[in-house]
Amino acid sequence: TRAWQEAAPGSRPTFMFSSAGATLGAGHEADWVSNNDTISDATRAAPHTTYGTTKACAELLLADYSRREFVDGRGVRLPSVIVRAGAPNAATTSCFSAVVREPL
C-alpha cells in the first residue's frame, strides 16, 4: 500500500483501497460495533485478527496520505472480494464464499 501511495509524488493520484469488515471486530460482546449499530466513516476500528489489523493500518495510512494531499484516497470495506475454491475453511468470510460457490 505504501509503495503505491508513494509511486507518483507531486501528482496526487486517486487511490482506491479495498478494505474489509474485519477492521470492525469479530462479533465479540466487547467490540465497539454491535449488530444494531450503523457503520459509518466515524466507526472506530477494533480488529481481532492480524488480517483486520493490517487492513486497519492501511486505512489509517491512506487517511493520513489523503489529509496531507499526497493522494486522493478512497477506501471501501467489502465483506468478501474473492471466492475461495474448495471446501469451506475457518476464515471469517468463508460463509460469504459459500453463498456464491455452493449454487455452482
Side-chain angles (χ1 to χ4, degrees), residues 47-67:
H48 287 256
T49 63
T50 301
Y51 176 76
T53 301
T54 56
K55 287 291 192 176
C57 289
E59 284 183 13
L60 290 171
L61 185 61
L62 180 63
D64 185 50
Y65 275 47
S66 294
R67 178 187 60 80

Side-chain angles (χ1 to χ4, degrees), residues 19-92:
S19 191
T23 61
L24 302 174
H28 188 270
E29 61 187 36
D31 285 348
W32 289 96
V33 179
S34 73
N35 292 338
N36 299 322
D37 290 336
T38 300
I39 307 299
S40 73
D41 288 340
T43 302
R44 183 178 183 173
H48 287 256
T49 63
T50 301
Y51 176 76
T53 301
T54 56
K55 287 291 192 176
C57 289
E59 284 183 13
L60 290 171
L61 185 61
L62 180 63
D64 185 50
Y65 275 47
S66 294
R67 178 187 60 80
R68 296 166 63 190
E69 298 185 358
F70 293 158
V71 296
D72 177 18
R74 313 293 168 100
V76 61
R77 291 176 178 155
L78 303 170
S80 185
V81 176
I82 297 173
V83 176
R84 293 175 177 86
N89 58 28
T92 304

